[in-house]
Amino acid sequence: MSNIRHLPEACTRVQSLAAGESIDAHRHDDHQIVYAGSGVVAVTTDAGTWFAPGTRAIWVPAGTVHAHRAHGHLDLHLVGLPATDNPLGLDTPTVLAVSPLLRELIRAYTTAPDDTGPERRRLRAVLRDQLRASPQQPVHLPSPTDPRLAAVCALLHEDPAEPRTLAALATATGAGERTLSRLFRSELGMTFPQWRTQSRLYHALRMLADDTPVTTVAHRCGWSSTSAFIDVFRRSFGYTPGTHNRRS
């Protein structure tokens, strides 16, 4: 990432982003919680992309260079925490499950960022407790660095419905199947099928945020049937794709 801005303080506020709008690469000296009250937010670093619908939030540790992108209209809720205040004990970006209570706490805390009264301090204390108890969720699409692996991942990004096996993709990119399989595990921490599923889910969330019909999303993202897509989506996010935008 070039032209990186340095913001000493991570702001606490609500910010609206139109579909496709982005916040360019920057870093701040504070931790930050990123929550999309509507649409889907994607946070990208050199290590990959973390994406979150309204049932998830993204923890961005202090000093992390990152950029935001909106898929669908976003009511982006940002909560800044000092670098000395890390209730999660995490030093890498992480996707967190957002319970109904945590969702309302984030919304309430970000609507009056200039309030310094005792009620707000109590609200912050409960918010921190809920963050500490929030389960981590593996909604992350890591980025490859090896050019052979990058070539395969680029093909899958261009067409998430790409049906070829790893062996066929290896032939198409001039790499060995065993080498690619090893690289998926060593560089990305996933098997090839796991990475492809994460990639398809990422594209599915983007399409759903644009009000693409569920059946169309299933077809464009490579699932064998709409029911198969619904099953994988529900197991990953806890709700069906048909209710995605209504939940926002």
Side-chain angles (χ1 to χ4, degrees):
M1 296 183 182
S2 59
N3 301 320
I4 298 166
R5 292 179 295 132
H6 174 222
L7 307 174
E9 182 179 347
C11 61
T12 295
R13 69 168 185 257
V14 183
Q15 179 175 353
S16 293
L17 294 179
E21 193 173 354
S22 61
I23 300 174
D24 59 8
H26 63 283
R27 63 181 176 88
H28 26 69
D29 297 335
D30 297 338
H31 306 299
Q32 192 170 59
I33 301 154
V34 180
Y35 172 71
S38 63
V40 175
V41 61
V43 172
T44 299
T45 75
D46 287 339
T49 298
W50 286 258
F51 45 100
T55 57
R56 304 287 188 268
I58 302 173
W59 169 261
V60 182
T64 302
V65 177
H66 62 289
H68 303 163
R69 186 171 180 81
H71 300 293
H73 172 81
L74 288 193
D75 289 322
L76 192 64
H77 297 259
L78 302 169
V79 177
L81 294 172
T84 55
D85 185 6
N86 188 340
L88 294 163
L90 297 171
D91 58 5
T92 58
T94 305
V95 175
L96 307 171
V98 174
S99 66
L101 175 57
L102 181 56
R103 178 187 67 223
E104 295 307 319
L105 288 167
I106 292 173
R107 286 176 170 173
Y109 192 75
T110 54
T111 53
D114 296 326
D115 184 1
T116 58
E119 290 184 2
R120 182 169 176 80
R121 290 195 294 271
R122 290 194 293 270
L123 179 63
R124 177 190 177 94
V126 178
L127 173 57
R128 290 180 76 260
D129 287 342
Q130 288 297 306
L131 278 173
R132 191 180 295 111
S134 180
Q136 299 177 30
Q137 299 288 338
V139 191
H140 172 216
L141 194 62
S143 296
T145 56
D146 186 284
R148 296 163 295 181
L149 189 59
V152 171
C153 291
L155 288 175
L156 299 177
H157 267 310
E158 290 169 8
D159 180 12
E162 169 61 67
R164 282 179 286 184
T165 63
L166 184 60
L169 290 168
T171 300
T173 57
E177 180 184 4
R178 288 186 179 180
T179 298
L180 288 174
S181 180
R182 174 178 56 78
L183 287 170
F184 267 103
R185 290 180 179 276
S186 62
E187 272 205 24
L188 307 182
M190 301 178 180
T191 64
F192 167 66
Q194 288 170 334
W195 192 93
R196 178 152 62 181
T197 296
Q198 287 293 95
S199 176
R200 287 175 171 177
L201 285 171
Y202 172 57
H203 286 284
L205 283 171
R206 295 173 59 184
M207 293 178 193
L208 291 169
D210 291 331
D211 291 320
T212 306
V214 172
T215 299
T216 303
V217 173
H219 173 72
R220 290 181 181 174
C221 291
W223 271 279
S224 58
S225 66
T226 302
S227 60
F229 166 53
I230 292 172
D231 181 60
V232 172
F233 191 96
R234 181 171 49 222
R235 285 190 280 112
S236 298
F237 299 110
Y239 60 93
T240 62
T243 64
H244 174 75
N245 285 343
R246 293 203 299 274
R247 296 180 71 90
S248 298

